[in-house]
Amino acid sequence: MSNWSSDDIVSNGIRIRYHRTGGEKPSLLIAHGVTDNALSWSRFAQSMEQDFDVILYDRRGHGFSDKPDSGYTFRDHAEDMVGLTMALGLDRPHILGHSGGAVAAAILAATHPDLLASLILEDPAWGTAWGGWESTTTGMIEWFQETVSLDRNELVATCHETNPNWPNEEVELWADSKVQVSPYVVQTFEQAEPNWRDIVREITCPILLIAGDTGMGSINSAADVEAMAAIWTSGQAVTIKGAGHMVHYDRFGAYISAVKTFLSDIH
């Protein structure tokens, strides 16, 4: 990480903090999930930086980016990404989004098709395995409020207990992200369900959908994966057994392999 650059830019009226591995390589932009932050993806970036210029950024309300009191819809986040991509002069980056970040990335791909080269969606938040949108958002509001009430030591202890296989460094970064998140971010769960069918139909770039195991907490069921595959223009799906919603933490090796294979095939 010592050679990475870090700075702030203004996008869509919001000051955004980003970290960049650098180099004359294809760009890979990461949109983290709700309550996470840029540096919680450090392990992933370290595994990809030999072949890609990886850009990690704190979404609004997260990390060291601005924390406005409103503006937490998926479309707001998508426009933040558009501005970030243009401000950094990224030439058709690959974009990877997780959970709510995946929904925002999909909206970007649908509305600005010439801006990116490919799209990777990790367990997007529109899946049905948690009981559908209303059930998912109700549960997430409860989880959010409980999580932000804990101090850092409590967060670390809770994460170790519920995710004993996660490396210590990632647990520490996960806890940091929860301490930094703004309470305004809870508005994410108060918006209407995204019409993912219309969104996916409009995406023309290659898509990789990565889902986990619903028995371990993945939002996307096999039926959800099949439904997306039936309507996308160009896509493929990978289901990683033994992983829940946080696929990139739960089965890191399998996750990296799937991402690298997809991106290698495109290049």
Side-chain angles (χ1 to χ4, degrees), residues 154-201:
E154 291 171 326
L155 287 163
V156 169
T158 297
C159 191
H160 275 305
E161 181 179 351
T162 56
N163 303 284
N165 295 324
W166 290 10
N168 289 337
E169 181 179 357
E170 294 204 314
V171 171
E172 299 281 339
L173 292 172
W174 178 91
D176 288 339
S177 70
K178 306 302 175 273
V179 171
Q180 293 171 347
V181 71
S182 166
Y184 293 126
V185 170
V186 75
Q187 296 171 43
T188 301
F189 312 116
E190 298 168 357
Q191 63 186 302
E193 180 178 6
N195 190 335
W196 65 263
R197 289 175 176 81
D198 286 349
I199 294 168
V200 172
R201 285 192 185 98

Side-chain angles (χ1 to χ4, degrees), residues 4-211:
W4 296 5
S5 61
S6 300
D7 205 349
D8 295 340
I9 61 98
V10 175
S11 168
N12 198 22
I14 299 295
R15 181 186 56 82
I16 292 179
R17 173 69 55 85
Y18 73 90
H19 311 273
R20 188 172 187 174
T21 64
E24 296 296 323
K25 307 162 190 173
S27 299
L28 174 58
L29 176 64
I30 311 301
H32 63 74
V34 177
T35 75
D36 294 332
N37 66 8
L39 291 179
S40 66
W41 281 78
S42 295
R43 185 185 184 195
F44 175 86
Q46 290 166 347
S47 295
M48 300 297 293
E49 65 179 323
Q50 181 175 344
D51 299 311
F52 293 90
D53 173 17
V54 185
I55 299 95
L56 311 172
Y57 79 101
D58 291 329
R59 294 168 62 202
R60 65 167 65 200
H62 299 77
F64 294 100
S65 291
D66 278 349
K67 298 175 172 63
D69 58 9
S70 62
Y72 291 97
T73 70
F74 296 125
R75 291 192 178 275
D76 290 322
H77 286 292
E79 289 305 314
D80 291 349
M81 264 191 286
V82 171
L84 175 66
T85 298
M86 298 179 70
L88 295 180
L90 304 182
D91 181 17
R92 299 188 72 241
H94 305 279
I95 297 182
L96 186 161
H98 171 237
S99 192
V103 179
I107 291 172
L108 181 154
T111 55
H112 298 79
D114 297 331
L115 201 63
L116 71 167
S118 73
L119 177 66
I120 301 172
L121 303 175
E122 177 189 347
D123 208 29
W126 58 51
T128 65
W130 292 4
W133 184 253
E134 183 175 352
S135 176
T136 296
T137 53
T138 298
M140 284 303 298
I141 289 173
E142 294 175 357
W143 176 85
F144 182 93
Q145 293 172 337
E146 178 182 354
T147 299
V148 299
S149 71
L150 301 177
D151 64 30
R152 190 179 185 282
N153 289 338
E154 291 171 326
L155 287 163
V156 169
T158 297
C159 191
H160 275 305
E161 181 179 351
T162 56
N163 303 284
N165 295 324
W166 290 10
N168 289 337
E169 181 179 357
E170 294 204 314
V171 171
E172 299 281 339
L173 292 172
W174 178 91
D176 288 339
S177 70
K178 306 302 175 273
V179 171
Q180 293 171 347
V181 71
S182 166
Y184 293 126
V185 170
V186 75
Q187 296 171 43
T188 301
F189 312 116
E190 298 168 357
Q191 63 186 302
E193 180 178 6
N195 190 335
W196 65 263
R197 289 175 176 81
D198 286 349
I199 294 168
V200 172
R201 285 192 185 98
E202 293 297 319
I203 299 173
T204 56
C205 69
I207 299 172
L208 172 63
L209 171 65
I210 302 178

